[in-house]
Amino acid sequence: MGEEEIYCEMCGSLIKGKPFKALVDGTEMILCANCYNKLMKSGRALPAPERKIEQKKVEKPKKAFKSMDQFEIVEGYGEEIRKGRESKGWTQAVLAQKLKISEALLKKIESEKVKPSIDLAKKIEQILKVKVLQPVEFDEGEENSLSPDKVTFGDVVVVRRDED
Ligand SMILES: [Zn+2]
């Protein structure tokens, strides 16, 4: 096996012996003992957090609803409501009363001239056991803010500890 040659990322010299890892201005660097000591003294470098060599698993964010409260009214809601109402044997007046809305408004909703509010639609679903709401899906090109960690030199370098 050949020797790993590790160069100091600060001064560029071949590191003999143990390389040092440090965070310099927030960037992980491999340093020679010289630079490491200098930077640590000056306070520019911090000890690097111990990092596992294997790549972090980047968890893909699940396709999620941004909010559980994002609903929209389904197509054909008027028909759904009318069928639900009729299956209960209720007139529009009866249902309007249960929903605490005017009969005129219910008529408009059933004929799909007016879309019920989400709150009203929820009430309708509860009372009639019909489906008039569906969750809004947000799957259009969501930016992946969790970009995979850039592989830095510190990640790929093999620190040989078993050298004599
Ligand atoms: Zn150096």
Side-chain angles (χ1 to χ4, degrees):
M1 283 243 275
E3 292 278 301
E4 294 278 343
E5 290 197 340
I6 299 166
Y7 294 88
C8 172
E9 290 182 14
M10 190 54 72
C11 67
S13 66
L14 180 64
I15 297 172
K16 295 182 190 91
K18 200 179 156 207
F20 290 85
K21 256 192 194 182
L23 278 182
V24 182
D25 300 331
T27 308
E28 204 174 279
M29 292 183 109
I30 304 293
L31 302 171
C32 66
N34 230 348
C35 291
Y36 181 80
N37 288 331
K38 251 196 286 183
L39 288 166
M40 289 302 268
K41 255 182 218 151
S42 71
R44 254 189 90 195
L46 298 165
E50 262 318 309
R51 284 229 254 159
K52 304 251 158 63
I53 296 296
E54 73 248 34
Q55 279 291 294
K56 272 191 230 145
K57 284 177 201 101
V58 179
E59 279 177 44
K60 272 206 174 157
K62 296 211 178 75
K63 192 164 91 179
F65 302 126
K66 282 204 175 111
S67 157
M68 291 305 285
D69 278 312
Q70 303 269 15
F71 289 102
E72 61 187 11
I73 309 295
V74 297
E75 272 177 59
Y77 62 92
E79 179 77 2
E80 283 299 306
I81 294 166
R82 188 186 57 77
K83 278 195 291 193
R85 175 176 59 76
E86 286 175 352
S87 75
K88 296 221 178 250
W90 294 341
T91 62
Q92 287 181 325
V94 170
L95 179 58
Q97 210 179 18
K98 288 182 189 295
L99 294 170
K100 296 185 176 69
I101 59 173
S102 71
E103 198 183 330
L105 177 57
L106 180 58
K107 275 197 174 99
K108 282 180 187 159
I109 290 171
E110 284 194 8
S111 57
E112 299 192 6
K113 288 192 180 93
V114 171
K115 260 194 189 184
S117 68
I118 301 299
D119 278 350
L120 180 56
K122 280 182 185 166
K123 240 197 250 176
I124 292 169
E125 286 194 331
Q126 278 168 16
I127 291 175
L128 293 181
K129 311 283 180 237
V130 293
K131 203 92 198 87
V132 288
L133 286 170
Q134 65 187 11
V136 181
E137 273 186 69
F138 292 92
D139 53 358
E140 4 69 38
E142 250 182 45
E143 298 130 273
N144 191 350
S145 51
L146 304 162
S147 61
D149 267 5
K150 289 196 186 69
V151 177
T152 62
F153 184 61
D155 289 313
V156 289
V157 94
V158 178
V159 180
R160 291 167 66 93
R161 295 177 176 282
D162 53 348
E163 279 178 62
D164 289 316

